[in-house]
Amino acid sequence: DLLARAVKAKIIQLAIDKYTRKKISIGKAAELARIPIADFMNLLAEQKVNFNYTLESLKEDIETAKKAEKKT
């Protein structure tokens, strides 16, 4: 359980790092972190990370949401 939590924390930090370096969109980062986008946004706010939300990010997030919807 401790190892699983440590791995999850590392994955979340990786997602935050990629997002802050503008390598991936917020939707992709949340997907990488395996958490809902709203939770990921809350984490960003808690860590005082600026949102890098562009029109391109919105398009990517819409595509990510469509793919997620098809999986369910």
Side-chain angles (χ1 to χ4, degrees):
D1 190 46
L2 182 61
L3 179 60
R5 283 186 280 162
V7 169
K8 180 151 182 81
K10 186 68 175 171
I11 291 171
I12 289 171
Q13 192 56 52
L14 174 68
I16 291 171
D17 290 344
K18 285 186 172 225
Y19 175 73
T20 57
R21 288 184 286 123
K22 300 180 182 180
K23 300 291 182 187
I24 57 177
S25 70
I26 197 168
K28 291 280 187 187
E31 185 178 350
L32 174 64
R34 297 184 184 130
I35 60 175
I37 193 169
D39 292 347
F40 189 77
M41 293 172 85
N42 285 333
L43 284 174
L44 294 177
E46 287 170 10
Q47 294 190 18
K48 298 188 181 358
V49 174
N50 291 329
F51 289 93
N52 306 319
Y53 211 72
T54 64
L55 181 57
E56 187 61 33
S57 294
L58 176 61
K59 289 176 183 177
E60 287 179 27
D61 291 343
I62 290 170
E63 287 304 312
T64 300
K66 286 179 182 178
K67 288 177 188 174
E69 187 177 333
K70 288 180 184 178
K71 290 180 183 178
T72 58

